Amino acid sequence: MKLLTANFLSCAVKACKSSPLSFPLHFRDAELASKSVPYNPLLLSNLLPRLDWPALVTSSKELGFTLPDTKPELPRLSASSSSATTADGDMNMDGTVGEENEKTLRMLHKTVGNFLLPSHLV
Amino acid sequence: MADYEDQHVHQVYDKIASHFSATRYKPWPIVHEFLSTLPPAPVNPNVFIVGSDRCENLVKIAKDRSPTQDVATADILSQPHRPSSFDFALSIAVIHHLSSPGRRVEAIASILELLKPAGEGRALLYVWALEQKNSRRGWDENSEQDVLVPWVLTKQFKEPSKRSDSTESEVETGNTEKAADGEEPKPFLRYYHLYKKGELEDDVKSAGGSVLKSGYEKDNWWAIVERTAG
């Protein structure tokens, strides 16, 4: 699972969706792998406004690296390839991702997020 | 209903995933057109896509196909996508696997829920059509709408443990080959609700959506939809 993906996922339990705890999901015991991808300024300039930056900062702390507290501005970002690599990097995680209240921990099975629910939570 | 779908949809796709995936290798024309009209114009590398499927084996195949996409295993009725945050959604050949009118409407509502509001987010939905007189299935508007459709695994996609001690000539007979004990290979049966003309649009409205455009393409009904404003 990629780091950016976590920015677009919430808890799958319907009853949780209205709760502020349902997003972002939290990484625990995650193993981070980094893979560089081709720098694509067009992708970044489209992606950046769509990211929930505070949630991304939270995810990054859980995974042991730091992002600036405020969302980088577009011109600066496209000029700086190093921060671009960070935001665009392909982060794979093994471990668990779950809500803060731990009701719905999901294993990231072979690095693919599995959100299938036990029947009592459907 | 959920148990029925588990047996007649989920378990079947897990078994036929490799073969099924191998028969889906390029976007259908309207899918391609829909993706091309999204800002930014070029189809793929500039859009970050998060996909999900109920079938773990299909998800494994889709994993890591591109650096700008990711996949998760999830059920359409309990999907994990962040509500009201997506610019677009594609649902191809999913809704017709739900086995009651209420569950199909719920599936569409679940897709609409993840979209940004009307004017900002839209979805392309595809379902199999009842009206496909010229397909090899041959159904028409008078056919039964709730059906079990067979999928026959060709030899190369069978699990190695279940393979018979085939000679080369047996291998070449492909689809028509017989199992080791002389029985015909058992087809996998998948449940489908075949949509008739106008039904997809009606379901979209019941789910709280508006149809922007809809039509018929190669045995399928499709609709481009958004959340109903207000």
Side-chain angles (χ1 to χ4, degrees):
Chain A
M1 182 166 150
K2 295 178 172 70
L3 170 65
L4 288 177
T5 304
N7 214 260
F8 296 99
L9 296 181
S10 69
C11 178
V13 179
K14 220 171 281 171
C16 294
K17 290 230 163 159
S18 55
S19 158
L21 293 180
S22 68
F23 175 84
L25 299 168
H26 296 285
F27 290 99
R28 284 198 197 94
D29 308 323
E31 193 181 308
L32 188 66
S34 180
K35 201 162 82 186
S36 30
V37 295
Y39 176 56
N40 180 348
L42 192 52
L43 172 69
L44 279 173
S45 65
N46 280 289
L47 195 52
L48 206 56
R50 290 168 169 84
L51 289 177
D52 185 309
W53 194 260
L56 193 65
V57 170
T58 301
S59 300
S60 71
K61 279 180 190 150
E62 288 164 0
L63 294 166
F65 66 98
T66 318
L67 288 176
D69 282 339
T70 50
K71 195 185 276 198
E73 281 170 31
L74 283 178
R76 216 188 102 218
L77 188 71
S78 38
S80 155
S81 64
S82 65
S83 61
T85 311
T86 309
D88 198 22
D90 180 65
M91 309 294 184
N92 289 294
M93 277 142 288
D94 265 318
T96 58
V97 55
E99 270 192 70
E100 225 154 44
N101 61 15
E102 294 197 56
K103 266 201 312 198
T104 54
L105 280 180
R106 298 278 148 258
M107 290 299 294
L108 295 189
H109 180 61
K110 288 178 187 162
T111 78
V112 176
N114 188 336
F115 293 87
L116 299 180
L117 301 170
S119 56
H120 70 279
L121 287 177
V122 174
Chain B
M1 289 297 173
D3 289 346
Y4 182 84
E5 288 157 20
D6 188 56
Q7 185 185 345
H8 293 289
V9 180
H10 307 158
Q11 291 181 29
V12 176
Y13 275 102
D14 260 339
K15 291 187 184 105
I16 69 174
S18 302
H19 184 195
F20 184 84
S21 174
T23 62
R24 272 61 181 166
Y25 51 87
K26 62 173 184 184
W28 297 342
I30 288 170
V31 176
H32 191 270
E33 190 193 314
F34 179 75
L35 287 173
S36 312
T37 58
L38 296 166
V43 173
N44 217 327
N46 304 314
V47 178
F48 188 76
I49 297 179
V50 183
S52 64
D53 198 276
R54 181 63 180 70
C55 172
E56 275 194 271
N57 285 338
L58 281 175
V59 169
K60 277 180 211 156
I61 293 168
K63 185 179 156 314
D64 294 335
R65 287 243 166 135
S66 145
T68 57
Q69 69 185 41
D70 202 358
V71 286
T73 310
D75 192 291
I76 183 68
L77 299 184
S78 300
Q79 45 86 9
H81 301 94
R82 180 151 64 97
S84 309
S85 67
F86 283 78
D87 296 80
F88 71 95
L90 277 175
S91 166
I92 297 174
V94 174
I95 300 158
H96 57 210
H97 284 310
L98 281 296
S99 61
S100 76
R103 286 170 71 81
R104 290 189 287 276
V105 169
E106 205 186 325
I108 296 173
S110 155
I111 295 163
L112 290 168
E113 181 195 74
L114 61 84
L115 294 177
K116 289 179 177 175
E120 292 179 66
R122 60 210 152 112
L124 172 58
L125 314 176
Y126 257 91
V127 291
W128 221 6
L130 179 64
E131 301 85 350
Q132 43 174 306
K133 194 83 192 150
N134 298 322
S135 80
R136 71 193 168 92
R137 314 280 180 191
W139 298 308
D140 64 22
E141 60 276 16
N142 299 315
S143 301
E144 172 62 43
Q145 277 187 272
D146 294 282
V147 292
L148 288 169
V149 180
W151 182 280
V152 181
L153 284 182
T154 56
K155 189 145 204 143
Q156 72 202 91
F157 293 103
K158 283 188 180 156
E159 289 172 46
S161 59
K162 290 185 181 157
R163 243 174 231 171
S164 58
D165 304 326
S166 321
T167 64
E168 262 179 44
S169 62
E170 277 173 330
V171 172
E172 283 165 8
T173 56
N175 245 339
T176 59
E177 53 114 9
K178 305 210 169 188
D181 54 6
E183 303 267 314
E184 286 295 333
K186 225 183 182 174
F188 293 97
L189 295 174
R190 292 164 296 158
Y191 167 80
Y192 280 88
H193 174 80
L194 302 169
Y195 271 75
K196 61 183 180 206
K197 189 177 185 181
E199 192 179 359
L200 178 60
E201 289 87 338
D202 289 345
D203 279 1
V204 169
K205 280 168 211 148
S206 306
S210 309
V211 177
L212 302 174
K213 211 173 161 186
S214 61
Y216 180 90
E217 188 207 14
K218 283 199 171 175
D219 310 331
N220 288 276
W221 293 108
W222 59 269
I224 294 175
V225 306
E226 63 178 13
R227 299 168 88 152
T228 301

